[in-house]
Amino acid sequence: QKTAYDEILQLTQNKKAEAVLLHGVTGSGKTQIYLRLVEEILKQGKTAIVLVPEIVLTPQMMRKFTSYFGERVAMLHSSLRMSERYDQWKRIRRGDVSVVLGTRSAIFAPLKQLGLIILDEEQEHSYKSENSPRYDAREVAIWRGAKENALVVLGSATPSVESMYRAKQGIYSLYTMNNRFGGRPLPEGEIVDMREELKLGNDTSLSVPLRHRLIEARQAEKQTILLLNRRGASRALVCVDCAQTPECPRCSVRLTYHSANGRLMCHYCGHSQSAPERCPSCGGPLKTIGTGTQKVQEELEFLFPDMPTSRMDADTVSAVNTHEKILDTFQQEKTPVLIGTQMVAKGLNLPDVTLVGVMDAELSLYNSSFRAAETTFNMLTQVVGRAGRGETEGRAVIQTLVPEHQVIRLAAKQDYDGFYELEINLRRIQNAPPFGDHATVTFVGQEESAVLRGAAKFRDSLNACLKQEGYAMEKCTVLGPAPCVVPKINYNFRHQLTLRCRMTKNLRLLLAHLLRQFSKDTSNRGVSAFIDVNGFD
């Protein structure tokens, strides 16, 4: 800690823009370095912005910063009421605030004399906006730091491949902390092959080794976190006779079964309907398939009736039952088990948690994104790192159907260097970031034929422009149009072009021009288009 802090501190006194990657294992004390750096910046008469990836992390971080800096700290995030956000904004504009803490939109806080920008868990996809404007808070932070001669600190136990590549190339300064604070050991990871559990006749979500570990943690009066990144009870209902599954009338996805209210729900548009007793098509019996957080909680309550549980996902969090309230109850009442989606996977410091269980660890490993392996490794490493942050050693049980997969094995060992070497070679072959860019041009409209016509027209215009002499140096391959992963959401059809390219200024200007021309063309009425560069879908 001290070595990293002292060397980063020297950069704050250079009075020029710098970018730093702070790579510290989970529990190494990165937050303490953030606090000390902010303290030093305030002594220099400057201000600081501290970003966290999730709203759930803001109360914990806010308590730490206000204990150091009192009323000089303001908080900005989307869960605040509009009046609260406006009041905070006015305080910042008046100069009453020296430190702004918040999620990605806080990067635009109107602080004067900005000297430090910190992004905690910089690899998180939540820093990238999914709505227009589709900005990446990490890139905005680097840009703003350069404009205002501020130091930018990117902190993570699992840095993004792009950030680590830039650090190894000397573009960012790299500082590493390989040990936990106080010399505590990293959690020991245990991989459970769920295929063997099925052979033994165990078709529940909880393997036999995980059940034993749960009992041990309860007897030691310690707590457990269980991660399953899918809410609801079951992924879908399926007819035993005709294999039909109820689908959303507005979207091209299956409805998720929620046992708490006996309803089928769409997690894209919010459509909800009562679960039928028999198949609407043939009248056959219906069977649930897949597992969600609700089902895990029900199985736990059946297996261990005397073991209280708590659940944190999009279904349980509300304006009344907030993230903060759920976590406070979990800590103060010493609830033995907290079940959750990715909300519980990162940034939380819960000293009594000694066991972490991960179900369906391969869930995000086989999607269409070039970031699939990175997303899986990050989430597993982060959630495993929630265990053993107190005096007692931690343990993690990772349940998967692909126990031999290298990404899962490396995550169980918390071997970031091994994962980086594996992933950077794949990225080089794919010409994916940081070696190239993947951009998507998405077209949305209620008439599928009009969407496809608009996409084909845009593709032809782009290809024609790329053949001109002024764009001879641009390396850009245009693929599509093709349906998006979810082709229809809320009655709107979605098709996209995929661009494998290097996003130069020349190409950005061309795409912006074509997008403006597309919106002006009356033949494209009813069809909207947007571009996303290196997105996380």
Side-chain angles (χ1 to χ4, degrees):
Q1 268 189 335
K2 189 174 188 311
T3 303
Y5 168 73
D6 289 342
E7 292 183 10
I8 297 172
L9 184 62
Q10 292 297 317
L11 299 178
T12 66
Q13 296 163 357
N14 291 344
K15 297 184 178 178
K16 65 176 184 179
E18 296 272 4
V20 169
L21 178 60
L22 179 61
H23 176 207
V25 298
T26 53
S28 58
K30 295 183 291 294
T31 304
Q32 195 63 32
I33 291 180
Y34 301 156
L35 287 163
R36 293 287 301 278
L37 287 173
V38 170
E39 186 178 28
E40 185 60 34
I41 284 294
L42 298 190
K43 287 179 183 176
Q44 296 176 18
K46 298 180 181 179
T47 57
I49 294 174
V50 181
L51 301 185
V52 292
E54 299 276 0
I55 292 172
V56 65
L57 301 178
T58 53
Q60 176 180 287
M61 196 71 92
M62 192 68 179
R63 280 194 291 268
K64 289 181 180 178
F65 274 79
T66 50
S67 67
Y68 273 73
F69 309 114
E71 295 184 357
R72 299 165 73 186
V73 184
M75 184 164 63
L76 287 175
H77 57 71
S78 58
S79 284
L80 295 175
R81 290 193 298 270
M82 190 61 71
S83 58
E84 291 175 320
R85 296 177 74 181
Y86 183 52
D87 288 342
Q88 297 282 45
W89 194 265
K90 286 193 296 184
R91 287 181 63 213
I92 299 166
R93 285 291 296 268
R94 284 198 306 264
D96 298 344
V97 169
S98 302
V99 183
V100 173
L101 174 69
T103 49
R104 64 171 178 250
S105 59
I107 191 61
F108 300 109
L111 282 172
K112 298 170 184 176
Q113 296 293 315
L114 185 63
L116 177 66
I117 303 174
I118 295 172
L119 277 82
D120 190 30
E121 309 296 353
E122 64 87 26
Q123 83 286 350
E124 283 299 324
H125 65 82
S126 51
Y127 283 126
K128 182 88 159 61
S129 174
E130 295 178 352
N131 303 309
S132 294
R134 287 176 168 77
Y135 68 93
D136 188 331
R138 183 176 56 194
E139 299 302 323
V140 175
I142 297 295
W143 178 87
R144 190 170 179 185
K147 288 289 181 182
E148 303 197 34
N149 288 329
L151 173 67
V152 179
V153 177
L154 308 174
S156 178
T158 55
S160 64
V161 173
E162 296 96 307
S163 293
M164 182 55 76
Y165 179 79
R166 290 172 186 168
K168 288 182 179 290
Q169 295 297 308
I171 300 170
Y172 299 164
S173 300
L174 175 62
Y175 300 98
T176 305
M177 297 190 295
N178 292 319
N179 300 306
R180 280 189 158 185
F181 180 76
R184 298 187 186 102
L186 288 168
E188 182 182 339
E190 177 184 356
I191 298 175
V192 176
D193 187 349
M194 292 304 287
R195 295 171 300 187
E196 295 299 320
E197 292 290 314
L198 287 171
K199 289 177 185 177
L200 294 171
N202 179 16
D203 61 350
T204 68
S205 309
L206 304 165
S207 65
V208 173
L210 181 55
R211 294 181 195 180
H212 290 159
R213 299 297 179 195
L214 280 164
I215 294 169
E216 289 173 3
R218 179 72 191 281
Q219 289 173 345
E221 297 185 345
K222 297 297 180 181
Q223 294 176 293
T224 299
I225 287 177
L226 297 181
L227 168 71
L228 174 58
N229 203 20
R230 185 195 289 123
R231 61 192 174 102
S234 300
R235 191 167 73 239
L237 289 177
V238 62
C239 176
V240 174
D241 293 337
C242 68
Q244 291 288 318
T245 58
E247 293 191 356
C248 176
R250 305 174 187 172
C251 311
S252 51
V253 293
R254 297 186 182 94
L255 292 169
T256 302
Y257 177 61
H258 288 247
S259 59
N261 52 11
R263 298 187 71 82
L264 295 169
M265 295 181 65
C266 174
H267 292 169
Y268 285 91
C269 71
H271 171 79
S272 172
Q273 64 186 54
S274 297
E277 294 184 4
R278 309 286 292 183
C279 175
S281 300
C282 70
L286 294 169
K287 178 180 174 60
T288 59
I289 58 170
T291 303
T293 49
Q294 273 188 24
K295 187 173 181 180
V296 173
Q297 188 174 31
E298 290 169 3
E299 288 179 352
L300 266 173
E301 290 170 352
F302 176 77
L303 290 167
F304 308 107
D306 61 336
M307 187 183 291
T309 62
S310 181
R311 180 160 57 92
M312 187 163 73
D313 55 30
D315 294 327
T316 59
V317 173
S318 64
V320 177
N321 195 38
T322 61
H323 303 95
E324 186 176 7
K325 187 174 180 181
I326 293 172
L327 286 174
D328 285 347
T329 302
F330 177 66
Q331 281 188 279
Q332 292 168 13
E333 297 185 6
K334 303 292 183 184
T335 308
V337 182
L338 173 64
I339 307 156
T341 54
Q342 62 180 353
M343 296 177 184
V344 302
K346 57 221 169 201
L348 299 174
N349 187 29
L350 303 167
D352 284 334
V353 172
T354 58
L355 174 64
V356 165
V358 183
M359 280 148 284
D360 291 353
E362 72 285 348
L363 198 60
S364 58
L365 198 53
Y366 298 107
N367 64 36
S368 59
S369 172
F370 67 89
R371 300 183 193 273
E374 182 181 16
T375 301
T376 302
F377 178 84
N378 289 347
M379 186 167 64
L380 292 179
T381 304
Q382 291 287 342
V383 74
V384 168
R386 297 313 105 205
R389 299 170 77 94
E391 297 301 322
T392 308
E393 290 186 20
R395 177 178 287 275
V397 177
I398 300 173
Q399 300 181 169
T400 176
L401 292 170
V402 285
E404 66 283 350
H405 201 289
Q406 275 185 292
V407 170
I408 291 175
R409 289 193 171 278
L410 290 167
K413 294 190 293 184
Q414 306 232 322
D415 183 2
Y416 177 82
D417 292 334
F419 168 75
Y420 175 79
E421 291 303 322
L422 174 71
E423 184 68 9
I424 200 70
N425 290 325
L426 287 173
R427 296 282 183 94
R428 189 178 283 109
I429 293 167
Q430 296 172 323
N431 198 34
F435 303 103
D437 293 301
H438 282 194
T440 56
V441 189
T442 305
F443 303 85
V444 183
Q446 293 192 355
E447 292 185 23
E448 189 171 18
S449 58
V451 172
L452 280 167
R453 276 198 309 271
K457 197 171 183 179
F458 190 100
R459 176 200 60 199
D460 295 341
S461 299
L462 177 56
N463 283 329
C465 291
L466 290 172
K467 291 176 182 176
Q468 295 177 8
E469 187 177 346
Y471 299 100
M473 300 300 292
E474 301 296 336
K475 294 181 179 179
C476 181
T477 303
V478 184
L479 306 174
C484 294
V485 176
V486 182
K488 186 175 76 168
I489 294 179
N490 207 11
Y491 299 119
N492 285 292
F493 292 93
R494 305 158 74 240
H495 288 260
Q496 66 182 21
L497 301 174
T498 301
L499 279 56
R500 292 183 175 175
C501 58
R502 170 59 74 180
M503 194 58 70
T504 62
K505 182 179 180 180
N506 209 22
L507 185 56
R508 284 200 304 271
L509 291 173
L510 172 61
L511 290 170
H513 169 73
L514 291 175
L515 208 56
R516 286 193 296 270
Q517 294 302 113
F518 181 88
S519 62
K520 290 177 183 177
D521 190 341
T522 55
S523 65
N524 296 322
R525 186 171 296 149
V527 179
S528 60
F530 63 85
I531 298 173
D532 194 15
V533 181
N534 299 330
F536 286 81
D537 291 337

